[in-house]
Amino acid sequence: MPKKFYITTPIYYTNNPPHVGSAYTTIAVDVLARYYRQKGKKVFFLTGTDEHGEKNAQAAKKANKSPQEFVDEIAKSFKETWRALDISNDDFIRTTEPRHIKGAQKFLSALKKSGKIYQGKYEGLYCIGCEKFITKKELADGKCPDHQKAPKKVSETNYFFKLSDFLDRVKKLISHDKIKIEPLERKNEVLALLKQGLEDFSISRQKVKWGIPLPFDKKQISYVWVEALVNYITAIGYGSNQKKFNQLWPADLHLIGKDILKFHALYWPALLLAVGLKPPRKIFVHGFLTADGQKMSKTLGNVIDPIYLADKYGVDALRYFLLREIPFGQDGDFSIKRLEERYNADLANGLGNLVSRVLTLSEKAGNFPVIASERKRAKQSRRKNELIKGVKSTQKKYKKALEKIKFHEALEVIWRLISACDEFIEKNKPWTLISEQRTANSEQKLKEILLSLLLSLKEIAVLLRPFMPATSEKILSQIKLNKKTEVLFPRL
Ligand code: ME8
């Protein structure tokens, strides 16, 4: 039985259509999903939309639409964008779907049954942009630093979750990497939060209407964050398909941005433990794409439409750029200038040039077919020639980088092989062998050179497949290597 690999993106708010920030996380998860599928794992890749709560309701009001009508439109634009960006998700959960509502209510009932819910009065501040209760300490100049807006004062009777009862257990799980939080500095950040101490949090809202009613008190609706986190289990059958749920839970990886770390690393495991479910295995946290140093966000209005970028530069160029430019985990400025520079240097002059060079050479040499009988010879040349030796070490380094979720390193390794191919061409000057009157010897040498280049190119295309699926297919179809030659290299 192949091993399952359940991987998720956050579910995005439907107050606005997708932007390059949400595309960033989704493309990253897509690359991992494609990589692990290629490795033979039974991948389940989930994404979706977070449609309830004040933030979405306010956006609908502003657009003069009913909340349902509004979120239907935005959810559609998310689905269309992910199709356009070649995202290979296995499911798309919307929190307004019956399967989610049913599962969320089951979860809320289980939480109540656990005895860890109590009624209390909340008085304090709330940032609608974050959909979270916020303390004065977290503000900068009286405003939420992420949304540049003053929070509103809230005073209402809510239900609270006894978070404090679970913090010791959660701390142990995180310290011992039973819930692995990466990169390390994020794990330390969570441990520091735990050291500071955390207050119980409210799981319901009294004055908000757009949401899921609490099964034990219909006058209140579920706090949007509790409901949103639960998507990771309702989508795989919690409350509707127990068998599927048992097969897929716990999640192998939640990939998120650093803005929602506390919810995923602390609240979510505690909520799961309260109802007797396992916590997720791993949470990987990436940084922010910034514009002139400031977080790109829909609320701040400094975002770029990923479809515009894909139309202008190509889907694969966008996918490549986002994961190559900024070391994954860190913040980094998104700039069109850099995208264009990388497009020209890495894609047009690097990869594109190598493909056309090798194809032209091979055509000029008479396109001798790379047939199965060449395998033996290629095996011999593998022992001799540096280029083929380099392919093996490229594979190893690539695998290591991707499994540590270091996309930029994996891509760097591929581009080193591209440079090695260029150097190999310069060194061996196959064109001199093409133009010469060919002897049996020179013909043999030419074949070996071209075969090494074609095989390296094939490997480059295979390694690029998760990142740039269409480009990879195009290269593979252009070089048309005989299927049998594939066994020369161990599969990934
Ligand atoms: O927080 N740079 O939804 P959201 C990098 N609904 N990534 C970015 C980004 C940026 N500038 N802007 C957004 C929510 N993202 C909740 C999540 S999950 C149970 C509920 C990405 O629409 C990044 O992954 O605000 C971030 O964590 C996420 O979008 C926030 O999306």
Side-chain angles (χ1 to χ4, degrees):
M1 268 283 278
K3 256 188 123 169
K4 66 98 183 174
F5 189 73
Y6 176 31
I7 179 171
T8 67
T9 71
I11 49 168
Y12 305 106
Y13 288 126
T14 42
N15 59 326
N16 273 305
H19 64 89
V20 76
S22 34
Y24 185 51
T25 319
T26 311
I27 291 170
V29 173
D30 187 59
V31 169
L32 294 173
R34 286 174 183 271
Y35 170 75
Y36 283 107
R37 267 187 216 122
Q38 202 163 297
K39 268 193 87 178
K41 285 205 182 181
K42 201 166 169 282
V43 170
F44 192 82
F45 165 12
L46 177 71
T47 187
T49 38
D50 187 356
E51 305 188 357
H52 286 131
E54 255 180 303
K55 184 167 168 141
N56 292 316
Q58 270 192 356
K61 199 169 169 198
K62 221 168 147 192
N64 262 328
K65 300 212 162 123
S66 75
Q68 190 64 59
E69 196 188 350
F70 184 74
V71 299
D72 282 349
E73 272 170 29
I74 304 281
K76 189 163 165 256
S77 79
F78 270 92
K79 286 184 178 174
E80 285 169 357
T81 302
W82 299 158
R83 286 292 83 81
L85 297 184
D86 242 343
I87 302 299
S88 64
N89 52 303
D90 296 290
D91 200 350
F92 187 104
I93 180 93
R94 296 183 56 191
T95 55
T96 49
E97 282 175 65
R99 61 169 170 162
H100 175 74
I101 296 171
K102 203 170 148 213
Q105 287 191 322
K106 176 178 163 170
F107 188 87
L108 290 160
S109 299
L111 212 53
K112 180 80 170 64
K113 237 183 170 170
S114 73
K116 302 293 179 188
I117 298 293
Y118 63 94
Q119 223 170 8
K121 190 158 170 134
Y122 181 82
E123 259 180 5
L125 302 169
Y126 192 85
C127 170
I128 298 176
C130 300
E131 287 281 16
K132 76 174 183 195
F133 299 98
I134 193 164
T135 58
K136 279 200 178 131
K137 262 197 310 201
E138 291 172 281
L139 305 178
D141 289 335
K143 291 177 182 167
C144 159
D146 279 350
H147 295 96
Q148 299 293 318
K149 279 205 178 118
K152 69 171 193 177
K153 284 202 178 98
V154 170
S155 165
E156 55 184 39
T157 301
N158 290 335
Y159 288 93
F160 285 78
F161 172 60
K162 275 190 194 163
L163 178 68
S164 41
D165 282 5
F166 296 92
L167 291 178
D168 279 347
R169 271 174 80 193
V170 172
K171 186 177 167 196
K172 243 187 224 148
L173 288 166
I174 294 174
S175 312
H176 294 120
D177 288 339
K178 297 284 180 230
I179 305 170
K180 205 167 176 44
I181 298 179
E182 286 184 340
L184 185 62
E185 61 265 29
R186 298 293 168 207
K187 173 178 169 179
N188 292 336
E189 190 180 318
V190 172
L191 291 173
L193 276 176
L194 280 165
K195 213 170 178 181
Q196 268 176 33
L198 288 140
E199 286 173 14
D200 292 349
F201 66 90
S202 161
I203 62 139
S204 69
R205 299 294 311 279
Q206 197 189 40
K207 292 178 188 142
V208 177
K209 296 280 166 280
W210 179 236
I212 300 179
L214 294 185
F216 47 87
D217 183 347
K218 300 265 170 8
K219 287 193 297 299
Q220 298 240 350
I221 67 144
S222 166
Y223 170 39
V224 68
W225 258 105
V226 173
E227 189 220 310
L229 289 162
V230 172
N231 94 85
Y232 298 132
I233 58 175
T234 60
I236 55 162
Y238 182 82
S240 59
N241 183 345
Q242 192 63 32
K243 191 169 161 226
K244 184 172 177 186
F245 176 69
N246 292 343
Q247 277 164 0
L248 288 169
W249 192 254
D252 295 275
L253 176 63
H254 291 318
L255 199 106
I256 58 167
K258 66 179 185 180
D259 47 342
I260 52 180
L261 175 60
K262 186 164 92 178
F263 291 102
H264 282 80
L266 297 173
Y267 291 8
W268 181 222
L271 287 166
L272 287 164
L273 293 176
V275 301
L277 293 174
K278 285 186 185 153
R281 294 206 167 106
K282 184 161 161 176
I283 300 168
F284 191 97
V285 190
H286 67 69
F288 285 155
L289 293 180
T290 56
D292 300 321
Q294 203 174 34
K295 184 196 173 197
M296 278 185 157
S297 103
K298 294 179 275 194
T299 317
L300 295 183
N302 59 353
V303 293
I304 306 178
D305 175 6
I307 296 289
Y308 160 80
L309 294 170
D311 282 348
K312 185 152 183 207
Y313 301 97
V315 173
D316 280 357
L318 174 65
R319 291 173 62 106
Y320 169 77
F321 174 72
L322 285 175
L323 298 180
R324 174 65 187 87
E325 179 68 2
I326 303 154
F328 203 65
Q330 296 172 22
D331 290 350
D333 233 37
F334 180 91
S335 111
I336 297 277
K337 184 168 164 270
R338 285 296 297 148
L339 195 164
E340 288 180 352
E341 279 168 9
R342 281 219 177 265
Y343 183 92
N344 290 329
D346 302 357
L347 299 179
N349 296 334
L351 178 65
N353 192 36
L354 176 69
V355 174
S356 71
R357 247 179 135 184
V358 173
L359 290 176
T360 310
L361 281 169
S362 154
E363 199 171 300
K364 282 200 178 140
N367 265 341
F368 28 69
V370 183
I371 49 169
S373 61
E374 297 291 332
R375 278 170 59 198
K376 216 169 121 198
R377 221 169 281 150
K379 263 188 186 161
Q380 285 165 357
S381 67
R382 178 163 62 159
R383 250 177 271 132
K384 289 189 256 168
N385 106 35
E386 285 308 308
L387 187 61
I388 299 295
K389 271 191 207 152
V391 168
K392 277 217 88 169
S393 81
T394 298
Q395 282 182 325
K396 267 195 213 142
K397 286 182 196 148
Y398 167 92
K399 185 166 174 255
K400 207 168 150 194
L402 261 191
E403 287 174 16
K404 284 192 178 156
I405 319 191
K406 295 192 168 185
F407 299 113
H408 63 292
E409 277 184 26
L411 288 168
E412 224 172 80
V413 161
I414 302 176
W415 257 260
R416 258 184 258 139
L417 183 58
I418 292 175
S419 304
C421 287
D422 284 331
E423 282 159 25
F424 183 80
I425 297 174
E426 292 308 316
K427 196 172 139 198
N428 289 288
K429 302 186 175 37
W431 56 88
T432 59
L433 299 169
I434 294 172
S435 56
E436 258 175 30
Q437 277 288 5
R438 282 188 227 167
T439 60
N441 225 343
S442 69
E443 173 100 3
Q444 173 59 24
K445 202 169 165 214
L446 185 58
K447 273 195 176 185
E448 262 176 34
I449 295 170
L450 288 178
L451 187 59
S452 303
L453 284 167
L454 285 166
L455 287 170
S456 304
L457 207 52
K458 187 211 114 190
E459 210 44 46
I460 288 167
V462 170
L463 299 180
L464 272 179
R465 208 186 251 154
F467 291 93
M468 305 172 74
T471 305
S472 162
E473 285 315 315
K474 192 168 160 211
I475 299 174
L476 288 172
S477 76
Q478 278 175 322
I479 58 180
K480 289 194 194 76
L481 279 187
N482 186 294
K483 266 221 155 2
K484 289 198 172 152
T485 57
E486 291 200 20
V487 297
L488 276 178
F489 299 108
R491 282 178 165 265
L492 275 172

